[in-house]
Amino acid sequence: MSTLAVHDHEVAHHGDDHGHHHKATFLNTYVFSQDHKMIAKQFLITGIIMAVIAMILSILFRIQLAYPDKAFPLMETLLGRFAPGGRLDSNFYLALVTIHGTIMVFFVLTAGLSGTFANLLIPLQLGVRDMASPFMNMLSYWLFLIASIVMLSSFMVQKGPASGGWTIYPPLSALPKAMPGSGMGMTLWLTSMVLFIASQLMGGINYVSTILNMRTKGMDLWKMPLTVWALFLTAVLGVLAFPVLVAGVVLLVFDRSFGTSFYLSDIVLNGSQVQPYEGGSPILFQHLFWFLGHPEVYIVIMPAMGISSEVMSVNSRKPIFGYHAMVYSLIGITVLSFIVWGHHMFVTGMNPFLGGVFMITTLIIAVPSAVKTFNWLATLWRGNIRFSAAMLFAIGMVSFFISGGLTGIFLGNATLDINLHDTYFVVAHFHLVMGSAAIFGMLAGVYHWFPKMYGRLMNEKLGYLHFWLTFIGAYLVFFPMHFMGLDGVPRRYYAFTEFESMKQWLSVNTFVTWAAIISALAQVAFLYNFFHSIFFGEKATQNPWEANTLEWTTPVERIHGNWPGEIPSVYRWPYDYSKPGAEEDFIPQTVPLSQTMSSNLPHDFEDNPAGLEAHAKWVNTQKSNEEVK
């Protein structure tokens, strides 16, 4: 496959001095930076801030679920008109659920995860000076930041933020008069999402262009680390799926503002006001939303899969098990994720035959996921495991992916889903398989590549504390929800005290709320560790984890252009760990095969007949020497 087309041009252009192209000022170094490493940090810190906000929102509505009849004067002090008399307003409760979901799915797990690690790792692991378009990269971050600010500003409007659920189904989202959160708050939500999608498209096109056109000499696709494969396919998914949601949102704006009827028909407001809408279908919006919404699930989890694969291989001191199978399963997930969206819509009255088709495709997509799971377990098997904080989070990601994925088999079955749809069973499922798993993959990446971002190490003991409290806390929060869902407890309800059959779950809701509060407090350990280590952490060496990939060949001090001299060439795949006959238990990608004759294997020379011949000669010479001895 073609590798670097612009490698020599890049070297000639940047030379050895990477500071001459513009005068470094505070603004162009830290604010409007075009350096991919700084943009990665901007995405990460913005993502962390948004995650903290989303976590606070979830604690507020969890308190309401645990103590539905209790007044908290502090709540009124903090939230004012949204918590009259110290009790959460029922419309504001829905707004909290909506904005929590939106921030976590899009602003933290899409932009925070992909934005951080695609920007940091694609150039560093492929041997590139910077992204294909550094300016577009900077623009991508700033559109994301503006989208974040617009989303949060909806808390400042008179009637509060959007409150139709993060899926914003019509008619709540299409009729400005439907409820308080359907007015200005929903308009800001839609504006924010269009800005967000523009940001993601700019990023995605940049990532794909960089990976396909700018790899260093010797770096063919089969020598790329799994992180880059995952980020590449995630970008492809985003570029193909996000525009569909823009189309859906534009039609929604038409319905809201210009009197069209794409999603509305036969609407009666307040029992008597017949609305002049005819011929629309709210189901059309569901199709457009979930055509993005299901690929979105994989846009969230695939970078976490790639990061965990890399971290587990490095810390097991073993090659990743089934590299080609891992790549093909990522490709399989990418393709199949476009033909399973209907499993979110089994209860919309769809044709049972169509439901059967979506059920089969949904169960088929479990196969590549299972391949990845078995390969992770096989990588760990009999490895010389180093239980660093990053490794624990990577293993935790696999745990959540398995336990959350198994419940997906229930929900993917059209018949079972009719009973479980819109219950707490669904909440439990996607918070484990998508929420917790992706967050743990992201945290594994933060602990692992922190030295590359900031030149310092995070505190391992605080990392262990953070892991165990978060891991146990997440299971205590989400596992009991499966049983609530099996009993038919619906999601998004403001209080369950109105229903005799659901009162028995109040004690479980209280338990879940306290588990959530303790899990939230555990994040203080991470936040302290992260921000303290940036300035005062132990200084890192060039390759602290003894890894093989190219980013660990760059100097510790961060320079524009990544490598001070010529970009290194690549000679081998990224997972040569504990190779029999090798002097050390890792062989970086930059070490030529001619220097490791004692550990070379015939399959190392798949595309290199001359190398294979030289290897055969070396083996014969060794045999002759042995015989002489």
Side-chain angles (χ1 to χ4, degrees), residues 544-562:
W545 315 124
E546 299 185 320
N548 291 340
T549 40
L550 280 182
E551 75 269 30
W552 305 108
T553 63
T554 62
V556 178
E557 58 280 0
R558 294 160 303 290
I559 55 171
H560 199 85
N562 299 333

Side-chain angles (χ1 to χ4, degrees), residues 342-480:
H343 66 218
H344 296 272
M345 301 171 57
F346 285 142
V347 295
T348 56
M350 66 161 59
N351 185 311
F353 174 75
L354 191 58
V357 171
F358 279 123
M359 182 174 84
I360 289 164
T361 56
T362 301
L363 296 177
I364 290 171
I365 205 170
V367 175
S369 302
V371 167
K372 299 193 79 59
T373 302
F374 283 118
N375 285 359
W376 286 320
L377 297 178
T379 302
L380 293 173
W381 177 250
R382 301 187 73 178
N384 186 13
I385 298 176
R386 300 188 304 205
F387 287 106
S388 64
M391 182 62 157
L392 289 175
F393 277 100
I395 295 169
M397 178 265 167
V398 176
S399 169
F400 285 123
F401 188 69
I402 294 170
S403 52
L406 288 173
T407 54
I409 297 170
F410 290 65
L411 295 167
N413 185 310
T415 320
L416 289 173
D417 184 64
I418 289 166
N419 291 311
L420 296 172
H421 187 83
D422 260 344
T423 68
Y424 267 84
F425 194 89
V426 179
V427 179
H429 160 71
F430 75 77
H431 276 87
L432 286 176
V433 76
M434 184 175 89
S436 301
I439 285 284
F440 270 57
M442 184 174 176
L443 289 168
V446 171
Y447 280 99
H448 187 73
W449 280 290
F450 190 87
K452 193 40 56 191
M453 282 193 264
Y454 295 104
R456 293 179 183 271
L457 296 166
M458 288 178 79
N459 184 305
E460 284 288 306
K461 286 184 177 157
L462 277 175
Y464 295 150
L465 177 72
H466 177 218
F467 169 77
W468 286 111
L469 288 176
T470 310
F471 182 74
I472 295 165
Y475 269 122
L476 291 179
V477 169
F478 300 119
F479 211 77

Side-chain angles (χ1 to χ4, degrees), residues 543 546-550 552 573-577 586-590:
N543 187 358
E546 299 185 320
N548 291 340
T549 40
L550 280 182
W552 305 108
W573 77 319
Y575 299 109
D576 269 341
Y577 293 105
F586 70 108
I587 309 173
Q589 287 188 278
T590 52

Side-chain angles (χ1 to χ4, degrees), residues 525-548:
F526 168 72
L527 293 170
Y528 171 78
N529 194 359
F530 182 84
F531 289 106
H532 182 265
S533 299
I534 289 174
F535 303 104
F536 307 109
E538 181 192 336
K539 288 200 170 176
T541 54
Q542 187 178 21
N543 187 358
W545 315 124
E546 299 185 320
N548 291 340

